Amino acid sequence: MKVLLWHVHGSWTHAFVQGAHDYLIVGPPDGKGLLGRQWPRAREVDLADVRADVAVVQEADQLDRVPGGVPVVYLEHNTPARPNLPHPVADRVDLIVHVTHFNRLMWDCGTTRTVVVEHGVVDPGPLYTGELARAAVVVNEPVRRGRVVGTDLLPRFADAAPLDVFGMGTERLPWGLGDHDLPVLHRELARRRVYVHPMRWTSLGLSLIEAMHLGMPVVALGCTEVPRAVPPDAGVVSTDVDELVRGVAELVADPALARERGARAREFALAHYGIDAFLGDWDGILTEVSG
């Protein structure tokens, strides 16, 4: 079928367009288009001329731009600012799809039916070497987003081990290495010994799941969906920052332990966040909604 969508979250879209449909990505002036991505089954379209079987809407203002008669699925990527916040399209659409169970729990979606389709990741392969006795973080705009993404905790982790922070806007940090395209990012992450996930209140970051697919051990704040997504034998999950700092130091100092924990992380990620299950769940939803 022909699936209309906007390019909002690049990593999520990269997984979504691996399916068997024709993916119509809204281009300027109504969307960002492909942004240079090479997705074989996706093409950039003018919203004024598009013909689609179903639309995947990811922001409330997109809802009014869907061509008349095209059925809609609303995909919610984010956690609400507070747990009693009404969802912006509650009672306006027939179905809201959440990417985590935590998000579904926290959003007030009124009478609208909700389901969860957990993230799927295109497996980058077991690239982990851990050759660099360093810790890695991936976060976008850490200075602007501050405590929400744990920017204030980074000095604590940097005291435990040399720290490298990847992502948009990280150049403003002492440890920042800037943004990288996905293949380069995966190679660079895999050279670091441990992945640190310091986010307090965000949806489950795909970079965490990608790091687990690479075979990296994980040290993560036990917030939002993380306790469900990271098993105990994959590293350290806690809300005790001292415990997390000790976990970083221990894993960086012990390559064998890091590799063992990373193997468990990869095993879990493949079983719970694989691309086939993700695409299968979405096929079911698209078929149902398109009628």
Side-chain angles (χ1 to χ4, degrees):
M1 66 183 72
K2 290 180 169 57
V3 182
L4 177 69
L5 72 154
W6 282 256
H7 187 169
V8 176
H9 293 278
S11 293
W12 183 89
T13 308
H14 178 66
F16 184 68
V17 300
Q18 304 301 314
H21 308 292
D22 294 324
Y23 301 94
L24 313 179
I25 312 293
V26 179
D30 298 294
K32 300 175 182 177
L34 293 171
L35 293 177
R37 299 296 186 98
Q38 301 299 312
W39 290 323
R41 296 198 63 90
R43 59 186 173 93
E44 197 167 304
V45 296
D46 185 332
L47 192 56
D49 301 325
V50 74
R51 298 290 183 271
D53 299 306
V54 62
V56 177
V57 171
Q58 300 166 72
E59 295 174 347
D61 65 348
Q62 296 170 2
L63 195 60
D64 296 329
R65 290 185 278 166
V66 175
V70 177
V72 169
V73 176
Y74 192 95
L75 171 63
E76 180 54 69
H77 291 278
N78 300 313
T79 50
R82 58 184 186 275
N84 62 342
L85 191 68
H87 195 279
V89 301
D91 305 319
R92 293 177 58 195
V93 297
D94 294 328
L95 178 64
I96 296 174
V97 178
H98 295 280
V99 298
T100 71
H101 292 275
F102 184 88
N103 291 6
R104 184 190 194 188
L105 176 68
M106 291 300 169
W107 274 111
D108 177 3
C109 292
T111 60
T112 300
R113 185 166 71 93
T114 63
V115 299
V116 176
V117 177
E118 296 187 273
H119 285 303
V121 169
V122 180
D123 181 19
L127 303 182
Y128 180 71
T129 66
E131 64 199 76
L132 301 179
R134 307 179 70 87
V137 176
V138 177
V139 59
N140 289 325
E141 303 295 342
V143 175
R144 177 181 62 82
R145 297 166 74 191
R147 285 177 56 86
V148 169
V149 294
T151 305
D152 59 303
L153 302 177
L154 297 180
R156 296 285 308 277
F157 294 119
D159 286 341
L163 186 67
D164 294 320
V165 184
F166 300 85
M168 294 183 291
T170 57
E171 298 90 344
R172 299 174 63 187
L173 298 175
W175 322 276
L177 296 181
D179 196 22
H180 296 68
D181 64 33
L182 203 56
V184 173
L185 176 63
H186 287 162
R187 290 196 300 269
E188 289 302 316
L189 288 177
R191 299 177 66 209
R192 275 72 184 172
R193 192 153 299 160
V194 60
Y195 185 82
V196 178
H197 187 73
M199 285 64 171
R200 282 186 176 89
W201 188 255
T202 66
S203 191
L204 182 63
L206 272 169
S207 57
L208 170 64
I209 304 303
E210 289 166 355
M212 293 170 65
H213 272 80
L214 292 169
M216 298 185 75
V218 171
V219 172
L221 284 182
C223 300
T224 64
E225 190 81 353
V226 167
R228 175 182 169 85
V230 182
D233 59 355
V236 181
V237 174
S238 179
T239 54
D240 181 341
V241 178
D242 291 336
E243 183 179 356
L244 297 175
V245 169
R246 290 193 298 269
V248 169
E250 180 182 14
L251 287 165
V252 168
D254 190 337
L257 177 63
R259 183 170 292 279
E260 177 188 336
R261 297 289 176 87
R264 300 289 78 74
R266 175 170 167 77
E267 181 181 352
F268 187 90
L270 288 171
H272 293 83
Y273 297 100
I275 191 68
D276 290 341
F278 169 79
L279 293 175
D281 288 345
W282 268 106
D283 281 350
I285 287 172
L286 296 173
T287 300
E288 173 195 333
V289 173
S290 66

